[in-house]
Structures are given as structure tokens and as C-alpha cells.
Amino acid sequence: MTPLRAVNEHSERAADPGSRPFDASVMPTVTMIGGGQLARMTHQAAIALGQRLRVLAERPDDPAAQVTPEVVIGSHTDLAALRKAAVGSHALTFDHEHVPTEHLLELVAEGVNVQPPPQALVFAQDKLAMRRRLSELGVPVPAFAPVESVADAVAFGDAHGWPCVLKSVRGGYDGRGVWMPESAAEAESIVNDQLAHGVSLMAEAKVALRRELSAMVARSTFGQAAVWPVVETVQRDGQCAVVIAPAPGLPEHASDEASALALRLAAELGTTGAMAVELFETHTGDLLVNELAMRPHNSGHWGMDGAVTGQFEQHLRAVLDYPLGDTAPLAPVTVMANILGAPEAPAMSMDERLHHLFARMPEAKVHLYGKGERPNRKIGHVNILGDDVAEVREKAERAARWMSHAEWTDGWDPHGE
């Protein structure tokens, strides 16, 4: 029986009044650790697949906790809370990488299906472990070294040039936990302060880069893998502001190289679910791995509207070992622009801003996270599809700016004629 025939026969049976009713109890339950926007958008995908998503959230008003019926309130550092969230779930996965590795190993020992497994996730949790493992695999990365003293940082900066990059080994994101000291004196101040607070540090050479790219891949527990088109990520103040899919002007050989690298790393590291391989493209065209994220990622949000299968559905398919979906783009260009909180929240309500945006740009696809507005906070994103990179990007950034600041960059008056 072909798959299409099976679908048709199932549909005919469903139309029969005597057929078996939908039984949600036999559909999988996935637990996601973390109640942020990634869990919220994963919940949307779970609904479409008839699945249940349970979240471990720290607060009842976290983005995912607002919309998900099954919520466990607790901390990701509390083993008892993790156990409670895991009970009865078919897979346990992540909205962020900050769960202590020892807790995850304990859950695995107790029979919890942790995806990605802790032996893989550690390379997204620990930047120094990641750099060392990638170096062992012959993957190009910036020059790096552990920093256990001021002398270590100064020696590295003297050897590789100032400014250099100092990073917290665990925990930092969106520019936090990253410093770029211009001198030995500046490095001394940073290192003394961070080591005094128990922060483990590493140093990296500052790469002269043309731009940043991201190669998103998903891998199932069976080992099936699929990649999306390589995208360009535009960073502002260390935070992703815009994603352009596919990366404009990227030579085919470089795109193939980045995709092959993402597939190789997913297999070599043994990860499951969605993974972002964040890359530096140098002025000579070389690609260096910057970061890994073993979960849905900001650089994959464009695919919610711009790909046959978006990252949130694909992540669920992968951790539950379903066959993976098609990742082909639905338009020549998709641009995602993050809605980042303005210095002061506008007097106009978010709902009214949404009304005006839709009136002017009915093609805009808006995703809001249910988060309060504060400066530079990611409170949503806008996706726009089209044919011309410059035009689509301008529209997406204009829409995102309107949603965050209630200001049209071209001076358009929503109340004018």
C-alpha cells in the first residue's frame, strides 16, 4: 500500500460516523525545558501534529506558560523539577542549553529520553569543550585558549593581537558574556572581575570577517538529517537583528561547504533535533565555526513562513524520530527581522501597532512572544517573503521597527489620508 493510498483510506474511515475517535492519549508528549519564545513556538507546531508539549517554566507568565496547558513551574537547575516535568513524556528537549549536565546524565540513567543527549549538548553548553572537540575533528575555528589568570589573557592578546575576545565558557548569549578588551590593562580588569565571581573564561582571536552566516540542520535519533539553506545573520550590538535566507551572494561551493559541515557536525557530535552552526565568513571566503546551538535558533525563524518545514516542527519530528520534513524555501528570498524593544515603550498599544502594520503590509507574517517591552528585548519577529533581497529586507526591517517603536522609518502617518 502506498503512503498516499493509506492517507486516503484513513480519511475515508475518519468520515465514517462509526470510526474510532481521535485519541490524544496515544499521541506523544514532549517536555521542553524552558518557557521562552522557542518553547512557545514549538507548542504551536505540536498543536498541528496532535502532540502535547509540556514545559518547565520558571514563571506562570513566561511566553510558553501563557499558551501551553501542561506547565511545571520550577527551575532548570532543580533536579526534582526536571524529574517532575519528565514524567510520562516521550522525549525531553530544550528551549535553552543551561541545564546542568550532571542533572541530564541522572535523568538518562533513570530512563528519560533526553534529546539531544547530554554527551552532545555539552558542546553547546561549554564553549571551551566545543572549541577543543571541533579542533580534534579538524574543523576550522578561531584561535583560542583557556583563561585561568590575567597572565593567560595578556599572553593571548599579545600573541594574537588586540583587541581580542574574552568569553564566559558557559551561559552567555546575545552578546552577554562576551568582552573585547583593547589592551592588556582592560583585559586585566575584566578577568579579575569575572574570575572573582566564579566565571570560567576563554580567549579567542578577533576574526576579521565579512559577515556572519548560519547553517541550520536537524537530525533524528535514527540518524536522518536535513539542512535548510544557509542564511546571513546581521548582528547589532552582539544581538541578531536580521536574517536573510538564503545568504545573498554566497557562492554555491561555500553554501555546499557550510551545509556539509553542519551535517557532519550533527553526526560526529551525536546531536538530535535542530542545531544551528553559526559561522564567520572571512574576506578571503574561508568559513570558521563561531558557536553551536542544539535547539531551535533565532537564525531559523524565517522558516516558519519561508520553508516547507520550519524548524519547530522539524525539531519535534527529530526528537521523536519521525521522518524529517522538506526544508525547501517557499520564495526566492525570506527576511526575518527581530522586533527589539525600544528605549521607551510607545504609548500606542501593541495591538494597535499590529492593526496598522497589517493595514499597510498585509503580506507581513508577525510572531509575537507575549513578552513585556523593555530596551533591546526580543519581543517578536516579522517574516516577509519576496523576490528582491533589498526590497524584502527593507520591508521586514521597516515592519519590525514599527512594531517596536511605533515609528515608520519613511515618515508615513498611519492616521493621515
Side-chain angles (χ1 to χ4, degrees):
M1 181 183 294
T2 66
L4 179 60
R5 177 71 183 277
V7 169
N8 288 340
E9 290 192 353
H10 176 77
S11 300
E12 291 166 7
R13 288 197 300 271
D16 179 0
S19 66
R20 180 188 301 170
F22 181 80
D23 184 358
S25 67
V26 303
M27 298 300 289
T29 294
V30 175
T31 292
M32 186 164 254
I33 305 304
Q37 63 260 26
L38 300 180
R40 182 184 178 107
M41 290 182 278
T42 304
H43 175 65
Q44 294 173 248
I47 291 171
L49 299 178
Q51 299 167 0
R52 297 170 179 266
L53 188 81
R54 180 186 304 144
V55 298
L56 176 64
E58 292 192 351
R59 294 170 295 275
D61 62 347
D62 282 350
Q66 296 172 23
V67 298
T68 307
E70 293 194 44
V71 181
V72 176
I73 301 299
S75 171
H76 60 272
T77 62
D78 181 352
L79 182 56
L82 292 167
R83 285 179 171 135
K84 182 177 180 181
V87 171
S89 63
H90 294 72
L92 181 143
T93 190
F94 307 94
D95 165 282
H96 59 73
E97 292 99 345
H98 307 314
V99 182
T101 305
E102 59 270 22
H103 289 357
L104 296 179
L105 292 171
E106 183 68 26
L107 293 176
V108 170
E110 294 170 2
V112 177
N113 180 26
V114 176
Q115 302 293 340
Q119 296 88 346
L121 187 65
V122 69
F123 298 115
Q125 296 175 316
D126 186 311
K127 296 178 179 64
L128 187 57
M130 181 265 290
R131 286 280 183 262
R132 286 170 167 159
R133 181 64 179 131
L134 266 55
S135 296
E136 291 171 1
L137 295 172
V139 174
V141 297
F144 70 95
V147 171
E148 298 176 353
S149 67
V150 169
D152 290 339
V154 172
F156 186 90
D158 288 343
H160 295 277
W162 302 95
C164 68
V165 182
L166 294 175
K167 291 183 175 180
S168 58
V169 170
R170 284 181 174 252
Y173 66 98
D174 281 348
R176 283 166 277 190
V178 179
W179 304 266
M180 294 189 185
E182 300 277 349
S183 65
E186 193 175 340
E188 179 179 2
S189 175
I190 293 167
V191 171
N192 279 332
D193 177 65
Q194 295 302 311
L195 293 183
H197 288 87
V199 177
S200 297
L201 295 173
M202 61 179 288
E204 286 187 355
K206 190 173 187 297
V207 177
L209 56 97
R210 179 186 171 211
R211 58 179 172 177
E212 296 191 41
L213 305 171
S214 177
M216 285 287 302
V217 62
R219 181 175 178 271
S220 72
T221 57
F222 180 74
Q224 183 190 11
V227 289
W228 286 268
V230 178
V231 302
E232 178 178 349
T233 63
V234 180
Q235 313 291 320
R236 293 180 186 141
D237 298 323
Q239 186 175 35
C240 181
V242 176
V243 173
I244 308 168
L250 184 65
E252 184 176 355
H253 71 86
S255 177
D256 291 345
E257 178 187 343
S259 295
L261 177 60
L263 289 166
R264 178 191 167 201
L265 287 178
E268 293 271 14
L269 300 179
T271 192
T272 49
M275 180 175 76
V277 181
E278 299 181 72
L279 300 160
F280 292 144
E281 181 187 15
T282 70
H283 293 285
T284 58
D286 295 326
L287 299 179
L288 305 176
V289 174
N290 177 30
E291 302 279 359
L292 299 177
M294 295 182 183
R295 53 171 169 76
H297 188 257
N298 201 173
S299 66
H301 289 353
W302 70 274
M304 296 176 73
D305 305 298
V308 174
T309 309
Q311 65 170 340
F312 299 101
E313 176 184 339
Q314 195 82 302
H315 186 75
L316 288 168
R317 289 193 190 205
V319 301
L320 290 169
D321 208 16
Y322 286 27
L324 300 183
D326 187 351
T327 55
L330 296 174
V333 179
T334 301
V335 175
M336 187 282 306
N338 277 322
I339 302 171
L340 303 173
E344 292 186 14
M348 183 185 294
S349 72
M350 183 65 77
D351 185 54
E352 185 176 353
R353 281 174 259 168
L354 191 62
H355 274 73
H356 287 304
L357 177 65
F358 285 158
R360 191 177 188 196
M361 294 185 184
E363 74 275 25
K365 304 296 289 185
V366 180
H367 302 269
L368 297 174
Y369 305 155
K371 296 165 76 171
E373 298 180 67
R374 64 172 184 244
N376 295 319
R377 190 184 200 191
K378 290 178 184 175
I379 54 178
H381 69 270
V382 179
N383 286 333
I384 293 190
L385 286 64
D387 299 312
D388 180 79
V389 172
E391 178 184 348
V392 175
R393 178 175 176 178
E394 190 276 333
K395 283 184 176 181
E397 292 202 64
R398 179 180 292 176
R401 174 80 181 190
W402 166 256
M403 290 301 295
S404 61
H405 288 67
E407 297 171 355
W408 289 109
T409 54
D410 60 354
W412 187 72
D413 180 3
H415 298 291
E417 294 184 2

